[in-house]
Amino acid sequence: MLRRISPIQLYLWLLTVAGPALIIVHGLRWALHIWGVVIVGAIMVAASTLWPIKLGQGSITLVNAGYFSVFLIGGTIPAVVAGSLGQMLGWVKGFKGIRSLASWSIFSVSVLAGAYVFHHFSPLWVQASMFFLTFLFINNMLVLIYYLIQDNSVKTWQLFAEGLFFDVLSWVISAPLILIFVLLQKAYHTPGAILAFFPFLLITLLLGLGYNLYRSHKNTLTAVRVAAEIAAASSPEDVYRSMEKGIRETFPSSVLVMYRKIPHRLAVRLVHVYYPFEEPPPYKEEVLASEGITGWTIESRSSELIDDSEKVIGRFVNPRIPRIMRSVLLLPMVTDRLLIGLMVVAHPEPHQYGPPDLRLGQILATQAAVSLRKIDLLVETRHLSAKDPLLAGLYNFRYFQEALDREMRVAEEEGTDFAVIFFDVDHLKFVNDTYGHLMGDRLLQLVVDTVRLEIREHDVLARYGGDEFILLLRRASQKAAEMAMERIQGKVSQCQLGTIPMTLGISVGYAHYPSDGMAVEQLLFMADQRMYQNKVQRRIERGALNGTDGINGPNIPSENG
């Protein structure tokens, strides 16, 4: 059964066949005396292919300096042979099958087209200009067709424009090298061509070194600025946004995935993703210490540079990734020997990062860890300062005032309502005097736990002082406040404090915003007055049941009761 050939494969095979066919038709009519020139040109092409000069989001190669110099000296076929040999030597770095063959064929067709136009013009500078324009047009159009068949989108046209820019730049840089090559060869023949290789090598090294110094300086400035932003962050989200901004400036076209350490587990949870591709990011919500090289990084807390993930056993996330990230920086966020989280910076192409990038990533990861740890400690401190020091699950009155002020502002802006409830606990002094203060604390904790079961999670329960408590019911109507007050009072009356033969109870009063007042002081005063009225009424009712005056009866303590 024959396997169906896709349109993109058919296109690549047609390109692959076209190059050799044109070369054979043209013939191998070139002089043997320029074999040295061809070899030098091939070496230049191979060197540029193996070690391109990275510039920003792309890179340039000076292959033009190799094959076009040979073209000017020996003609079309020597130039094609020099370029072909150089590309084949470049395949040592990574042969991609039909894609590599098609790339070679595109080069050959472009050179032949440029040579055809070259011979129809004069003088030499016009010929060279027409060769350059024809080569650029044919080469980039054939590449564009490939990408349009693969994916016809705005991103394709952006990539085409970027590729065209870098091609023009490579020709501009190659021009003086071509001139040096031709002049030296005319003066000294093959030894001159060999001498021309050294300026080529020098220019390549200087460009690479100069750009690396520029990039290092720029990245250092970016790291300093981002580190300052991270240090000033007031929330984890601010840290994540600052980190994303720094990564996008420092490592273009890279993915950023940030994880936070899960408390009491050797695992991390996904908290932030920057994924500059159209498909949704496929990363797992949680990564355990036992999962691949990412898990190893979590466990060892050691940074890792992966030059090509396809050569690593146990890829860094999971096998469901549609777009495999080939270059990866794994950066644990560690401070004071504590693992705070993990940063993953990744790129779909291999060989995108080096040791300087790893060191820069470590600096940013460490700063993020320090800032996140500081925020966690600040939140924990605020949380502890808002809690009552003696009773678990209870806020203090200072925190209650802040919550009440916030709720008042929300109510004024949005037209909502809320209620405040005061209550105090019966017989606390009697229990303290008779059974001890530890039993008195147990009494208060029992009441607090009972009340918490009857309110919502976003309501605020706080201690006002001694045996008095205050409750904020957010977004509660007057009827809802009355029902909550009756329900709480009924639940507390059903509680029993150990084996102590005593009925528990609380006196309750409420105030509703806005019907009972528009100011905090009015609401607190109204709730306190109603609580006092409820206290007196309950004493009278108990007195009637016990046959006393209800105020100083034999079974009811006179204070706080």
Side-chain angles (χ1 to χ4, degrees), residues 159-181:
L159 293 173
F160 170 73
E162 291 174 4
L164 184 61
F165 168 77
F166 284 111
D167 279 353
V168 173
L169 185 59
S170 68
W171 273 98
V172 172
I173 297 174
S174 297
L177 296 174
I178 295 170
L179 182 62
I180 292 171
F181 192 118

PDB file of all heavy atoms in Angstrom, residues 159-181:
ATOM      1  N   LEU A 159       7.725  36.363   9.828  1.00  0.00           N
ATOM      2  CA  LEU A 159       8.967  35.601   9.724  1.00  0.00           C
ATOM      3  C   LEU A 159       9.660  35.856   8.388  1.00  0.00           C
ATOM      4  O   LEU A 159      10.898  35.952   8.314  1.00  0.00           O
ATOM      5  CB  LEU A 159       8.684  34.106   9.897  1.00  0.00           C
ATOM      6  CG  LEU A 159       8.220  33.659  11.290  1.00  0.00           C
ATOM      7  CD1 LEU A 159       7.815  32.190  11.261  1.00  0.00           C
ATOM      8  CD2 LEU A 159       9.328  33.874  12.313  1.00  0.00           C
ATOM      9  N   PHE A 160       8.867  35.986   7.319  1.00  0.00           N
ATOM     10  CA  PHE A 160       9.428  36.273   5.997  1.00  0.00           C
ATOM     11  C   PHE A 160      10.134  37.633   5.997  1.00  0.00           C
ATOM     12  O   PHE A 160      11.252  37.768   5.478  1.00  0.00           O
ATOM     13  CB  PHE A 160       8.308  36.253   4.950  1.00  0.00           C
ATOM     14  CG  PHE A 160       8.725  36.766   3.606  1.00  0.00           C
ATOM     15  CD1 PHE A 160       9.557  36.017   2.787  1.00  0.00           C
ATOM     16  CD2 PHE A 160       8.291  38.012   3.162  1.00  0.00           C
ATOM     17  CE1 PHE A 160       9.944  36.497   1.539  1.00  0.00           C
ATOM     18  CE2 PHE A 160       8.674  38.496   1.923  1.00  0.00           C
ATOM     19  CZ  PHE A 160       9.505  37.728   1.110  1.00  0.00           C
ATOM     20  N   ALA A 161       9.498  38.639   6.584  1.00  0.00           N
ATOM     21  CA  ALA A 161      10.098  39.976   6.639  1.00  0.00           C
ATOM     22  C   ALA A 161      11.391  39.965   7.455  1.00  0.00           C
ATOM     23  O   ALA A 161      12.390  40.591   7.069  1.00  0.00           O
ATOM     24  CB  ALA A 161       9.101  40.969   7.235  1.00  0.00           C
ATOM     25  N   GLU A 162      11.386  39.239   8.582  1.00  0.00           N
ATOM     26  CA  GLU A 162      12.592  39.158   9.408  1.00  0.00           C
ATOM     27  C   GLU A 162      13.719  38.453   8.660  1.00  0.00           C
ATOM     28  O   GLU A 162      14.882  38.890   8.690  1.00  0.00           O
ATOM     29  CB  GLU A 162      12.277  38.413  10.710  1.00  0.00           C
ATOM     30  CG  GLU A 162      11.356  39.188  11.656  1.00  0.00           C
ATOM     31  CD  GLU A 162      10.959  38.361  12.861  1.00  0.00           C
ATOM     32  OE1 GLU A 162      11.467  37.228  12.996  1.00  0.00           O
ATOM     33  OE2 GLU A 162      10.147  38.841  13.667  1.00  0.00           O
ATOM     34  N   GLY A 163      13.373  37.350   7.962  1.00  0.00           N
ATOM     35  CA  GLY A 163      14.386  36.619   7.203  1.00  0.00           C
ATOM     36  C   GLY A 163      14.970  37.459   6.087  1.00  0.00           C
ATOM     37  O   GLY A 163      16.190  37.434   5.839  1.00  0.00           O
ATOM     38  N   LEU A 164      14.125  38.233   5.401  1.00  0.00           N
ATOM     39  CA  LEU A 164      14.595  39.099   4.321  1.00  0.00           C
ATOM     40  C   LEU A 164      15.549  40.164   4.864  1.00  0.00           C
ATOM     41  O   LEU A 164      16.589  40.459   4.246  1.00  0.00           O
ATOM     42  CB  LEU A 164      13.399  39.755   3.627  1.00  0.00           C
ATOM     43  CG  LEU A 164      13.709  40.635   2.410  1.00  0.00           C
ATOM     44  CD1 LEU A 164      14.385  39.825   1.322  1.00  0.00           C
ATOM     45  CD2 LEU A 164      12.428  41.288   1.886  1.00  0.00           C
ATOM     46  N   PHE A 165      15.218  40.714   6.023  1.00  0.00           N
ATOM     47  CA  PHE A 165      16.079  41.739   6.631  1.00  0.00           C
ATOM     48  C   PHE A 165      17.466  41.174   6.943  1.00  0.00           C
ATOM     49  O   PHE A 165      18.492  41.796   6.634  1.00  0.00           O
ATOM     50  CB  PHE A 165      15.428  42.267   7.907  1.00  0.00           C
ATOM     51  CG  PHE A 165      16.355  43.103   8.751  1.00  0.00           C
ATOM     52  CD1 PHE A 165      16.653  44.412   8.403  1.00  0.00           C
ATOM     53  CD2 PHE A 165      16.942  42.572   9.892  1.00  0.00           C
ATOM     54  CE1 PHE A 165      17.518  45.182   9.169  1.00  0.00           C
ATOM     55  CE2 PHE A 165      17.805  43.324  10.665  1.00  0.00           C
ATOM     56  CZ  PHE A 165      18.096  44.638  10.305  1.00  0.00           C
ATOM     57  N   PHE A 166      17.512  39.990   7.545  1.00  0.00           N
ATOM     58  CA  PHE A 166      18.802  39.400   7.901  1.00  0.00           C
ATOM     59  C   PHE A 166      19.586  38.985   6.659  1.00  0.00           C
ATOM     60  O   PHE A 166      20.825  39.029   6.653  1.00  0.00           O
ATOM     61  CB  PHE A 166      18.601  38.214   8.848  1.00  0.00           C
ATOM     62  CG  PHE A 166      18.272  38.628  10.259  1.00  0.00           C
ATOM     63  CD1 PHE A 166      17.014  38.395  10.792  1.00  0.00           C
ATOM     64  CD2 PHE A 166      19.221  39.258  11.039  1.00  0.00           C
ATOM     65  CE1 PHE A 166      16.709  38.782  12.082  1.00  0.00           C
ATOM     66  CE2 PHE A 166      18.936  39.650  12.328  1.00  0.00           C
ATOM     67  CZ  PHE A 166      17.670  39.416  12.854  1.00  0.00           C
ATOM     68  N   ASP A 167      18.893  38.574   5.586  1.00  0.00           N
ATOM     69  CA  ASP A 167      19.592  38.255   4.336  1.00  0.00           C
ATOM     70  C   ASP A 167      20.266  39.488   3.746  1.00  0.00           C
ATOM     71  O   ASP A 167      21.420  39.443   3.301  1.00  0.00           O
ATOM     72  CB  ASP A 167      18.601  37.670   3.322  1.00  0.00           C
ATOM     73  CG  ASP A 167      18.347  36.193   3.564  1.00  0.00           C
ATOM     74  OD1 ASP A 167      19.043  35.616   4.418  1.00  0.00           O
ATOM     75  OD2 ASP A 167      17.448  35.621   2.924  1.00  0.00           O
ATOM     76  N   VAL A 168      19.540  40.607   3.713  1.00  0.00           N
ATOM     77  CA  VAL A 168      20.116  41.860   3.198  1.00  0.00           C
ATOM     78  C   VAL A 168      21.314  42.269   4.047  1.00  0.00           C
ATOM     79  O   VAL A 168      22.363  42.685   3.523  1.00  0.00           O
ATOM     80  CB  VAL A 168      19.047  42.966   3.188  1.00  0.00           C
ATOM     81  CG1 VAL A 168      19.673  44.315   2.832  1.00  0.00           C
ATOM     82  CG2 VAL A 168      17.934  42.633   2.203  1.00  0.00           C
ATOM     83  N   LEU A 169      21.174  42.146   5.381  1.00  0.00           N
ATOM     84  CA  LEU A 169      22.265  42.518   6.276  1.00  0.00           C
ATOM     85  C   LEU A 169      23.505  41.659   6.032  1.00  0.00           C
ATOM     86  O   LEU A 169      24.642  42.161   6.043  1.00  0.00           O
ATOM     87  CB  LEU A 169      21.800  42.381   7.728  1.00  0.00           C
ATOM     88  CG  LEU A 169      22.783  42.848   8.811  1.00  0.00           C
ATOM     89  CD1 LEU A 169      23.123  44.325   8.630  1.00  0.00           C
ATOM     90  CD2 LEU A 169      22.200  42.594  10.198  1.00  0.00           C
ATOM     91  N   SER A 170      23.292  40.360   5.791  1.00  0.00           N
ATOM     92  CA  SER A 170      24.434  39.480   5.547  1.00  0.00           C
ATOM     93  C   SER A 170      25.162  39.855   4.248  1.00  0.00           C
ATOM     94  O   SER A 170      26.388  39.789   4.168  1.00  0.00           O
ATOM     95  CB  SER A 170      23.968  38.015   5.484  1.00  0.00           C
ATOM     96  OG  SER A 170      23.169  37.776   4.340  1.00  0.00           O
ATOM     97  N   TRP A 171      24.407  40.285   3.218  1.00  0.00           N
ATOM     98  CA  TRP A 171      25.035  40.730   1.978  1.00  0.00           C
ATOM     99  C   TRP A 171      25.841  42.011   2.186  1.00  0.00           C
ATOM    100  O   TRP A 171      26.939  42.170   1.645  1.00  0.00           O
ATOM    101  CB  TRP A 171      23.976  40.947   0.902  1.00  0.00           C
ATOM    102  CG  TRP A 171      23.642  39.706   0.127  1.00  0.00           C
ATOM    103  CD1 TRP A 171      22.596  38.868   0.330  1.00  0.00           C
ATOM    104  CD2 TRP A 171      24.373  39.173  -0.982  1.00  0.00           C
ATOM    105  NE1 TRP A 171      22.620  37.840  -0.562  1.00  0.00           N
ATOM    106  CE2 TRP A 171      23.703  37.998  -1.403  1.00  0.00           C
ATOM    107  CE3 TRP A 171      25.513  39.562  -1.664  1.00  0.00           C
ATOM    108  CZ2 TRP A 171      24.138  37.213  -2.450  1.00  0.00           C
ATOM    109  CZ3 TRP A 171      25.949  38.786  -2.718  1.00  0.00           C
ATOM    110  CH2 TRP A 171      25.268  37.626  -3.107  1.00  0.00           C
ATOM    111  N   VAL A 172      25.308  42.923   2.969  1.00  0.00           N
ATOM    112  CA  VAL A 172      26.015  44.190   3.230  1.00  0.00           C
ATOM    113  C   VAL A 172      27.346  43.924   3.936  1.00  0.00           C
ATOM    114  O   VAL A 172      28.376  44.498   3.595  1.00  0.00           O
ATOM    115  CB  VAL A 172      25.128  45.118   4.078  1.00  0.00           C
ATOM    116  CG1 VAL A 172      25.912  46.347   4.539  1.00  0.00           C
ATOM    117  CG2 VAL A 172      23.901  45.558   3.283  1.00  0.00           C
ATOM    118  N   ILE A 173      27.325  43.023   4.938  1.00  0.00           N
ATOM    119  CA  ILE A 173      28.557  42.714   5.666  1.00  0.00           C
ATOM    120  C   ILE A 173      29.522  41.921   4.790  1.00  0.00           C
ATOM    121  O   ILE A 173      30.750  42.064   4.897  1.00  0.00           O
ATOM    122  CB  ILE A 173      28.223  41.940   6.955  1.00  0.00           C
ATOM    123  CG1 ILE A 173      27.367  42.809   7.875  1.00  0.00           C
ATOM    124  CG2 ILE A 173      29.491  41.501   7.685  1.00  0.00           C
ATOM    125  CD1 ILE A 173      26.855  42.084   9.107  1.00  0.00           C
ATOM    126  N   SER A 174      28.983  41.083   3.910  1.00  0.00           N
ATOM    127  CA  SER A 174      29.835  40.245   3.061  1.00  0.00           C
ATOM    128  C   SER A 174      30.536  41.027   1.958  1.00  0.00           C
ATOM    129  O   SER A 174      31.580  40.586   1.443  1.00  0.00           O
ATOM    130  CB  SER A 174      29.007  39.121   2.425  1.00  0.00           C
ATOM    131  OG  SER A 174      28.472  38.265   3.408  1.00  0.00           O
ATOM    132  N   ALA A 175      29.983  42.178   1.565  1.00  0.00           N
ATOM    133  CA  ALA A 175      30.511  42.919   0.408  1.00  0.00           C
ATOM    134  C   ALA A 175      32.002  43.219   0.520  1.00  0.00           C
ATOM    135  O   ALA A 175      32.771  42.927  -0.418  1.00  0.00           O
ATOM    136  CB  ALA A 175      29.696  44.198   0.212  1.00  0.00           C
ATOM    137  N   PRO A 176      32.501  43.809   1.623  1.00  0.00           N
ATOM    138  CA  PRO A 176      33.954  44.070   1.681  1.00  0.00           C
ATOM    139  C   PRO A 176      34.778  42.787   1.702  1.00  0.00           C
ATOM    140  O   PRO A 176      35.900  42.753   1.180  1.00  0.00           O
ATOM    141  CB  PRO A 176      34.116  44.863   2.986  1.00  0.00           C
ATOM    142  CG  PRO A 176      32.899  44.587   3.779  1.00  0.00           C
ATOM    143  CD  PRO A 176      31.805  44.362   2.807  1.00  0.00           C
ATOM    144  N   LEU A 177      34.250  41.710   2.287  1.00  0.00           N
ATOM    145  CA  LEU A 177      34.977  40.436   2.307  1.00  0.00           C
ATOM    146  C   LEU A 177      35.101  39.861   0.895  1.00  0.00           C
ATOM    147  O   LEU A 177      36.135  39.273   0.542  1.00  0.00           O
ATOM    148  CB  LEU A 177      34.270  39.445   3.230  1.00  0.00           C
ATOM    149  CG  LEU A 177      34.219  39.833   4.714  1.00  0.00           C
ATOM    150  CD1 LEU A 177      33.369  38.840   5.488  1.00  0.00           C
ATOM    151  CD2 LEU A 177      35.624  39.892   5.302  1.00  0.00           C
ATOM    152  N   ILE A 178      34.057  40.023   0.093  1.00  0.00           N
ATOM    153  CA  ILE A 178      34.101  39.562  -1.304  1.00  0.00           C
ATOM    154  C   ILE A 178      35.163  40.333  -2.074  1.00  0.00           C
ATOM    155  O   ILE A 178      35.954  39.752  -2.847  1.00  0.00           O
ATOM    156  CB  ILE A 178      32.715  39.725  -1.958  1.00  0.00           C
ATOM    157  CG1 ILE A 178      31.697  38.805  -1.279  1.00  0.00           C
ATOM    158  CG2 ILE A 178      32.782  39.431  -3.448  1.00  0.00           C
ATOM    159  CD1 ILE A 178      30.255  39.065  -1.693  1.00  0.00           C
ATOM    160  N   LEU A 179      35.203  41.642  -1.859  1.00  0.00           N
ATOM    161  CA  LEU A 179      36.185  42.477  -2.547  1.00  0.00           C
ATOM    162  C   LEU A 179      37.614  42.075  -2.172  1.00  0.00           C
ATOM    163  O   LEU A 179      38.495  41.952  -3.042  1.00  0.00           O
ATOM    164  CB  LEU A 179      35.942  43.944  -2.210  1.00  0.00           C
ATOM    165  CG  LEU A 179      36.863  44.965  -2.879  1.00  0.00           C
ATOM    166  CD1 LEU A 179      36.712  44.906  -4.394  1.00  0.00           C
ATOM    167  CD2 LEU A 179      36.548  46.373  -2.362  1.00  0.00           C
ATOM    168  N   ILE A 180      37.846  41.826  -0.874  1.00  0.00           N
ATOM    169  CA  ILE A 180      39.180  41.401  -0.412  1.00  0.00           C
ATOM    170  C   ILE A 180      39.556  40.057  -1.040  1.00  0.00           C
ATOM    171  O   ILE A 180      40.683  39.851  -1.510  1.00  0.00           O
ATOM    172  CB  ILE A 180      39.194  41.312   1.126  1.00  0.00           C
ATOM    173  CG1 ILE A 180      39.073  42.708   1.739  1.00  0.00           C
ATOM    174  CG2 ILE A 180      40.465  40.629   1.628  1.00  0.00           C
ATOM    175  CD1 ILE A 180      38.868  42.694   3.243  1.00  0.00           C
ATOM    176  N   PHE A 181      38.603  39.118  -1.062  1.00  0.00           N
ATOM    177  CA  PHE A 181      38.839  37.783  -1.623  1.00  0.00           C
ATOM    178  C   PHE A 181      39.262  37.896  -3.092  1.00  0.00           C
ATOM    179  O   PHE A 181      40.280  37.316  -3.513  1.00  0.00           O
ATOM    180  CB  PHE A 181      37.558  36.953  -1.486  1.00  0.00           C
ATOM    181  CG  PHE A 181      37.749  35.482  -1.748  1.00  0.00           C
ATOM    182  CD1 PHE A 181      37.508  34.562  -0.746  1.00  0.00           C
ATOM    183  CD2 PHE A 181      38.141  35.005  -3.005  1.00  0.00           C
ATOM    184  CE1 PHE A 181      37.656  33.205  -0.977  1.00  0.00           C
ATOM    185  CE2 PHE A 181      38.295  33.656  -3.243  1.00  0.00           C
ATOM    186  CZ  PHE A 181      38.063  32.750  -2.228  1.00  0.00           C
TER     187      PHE A 181
END
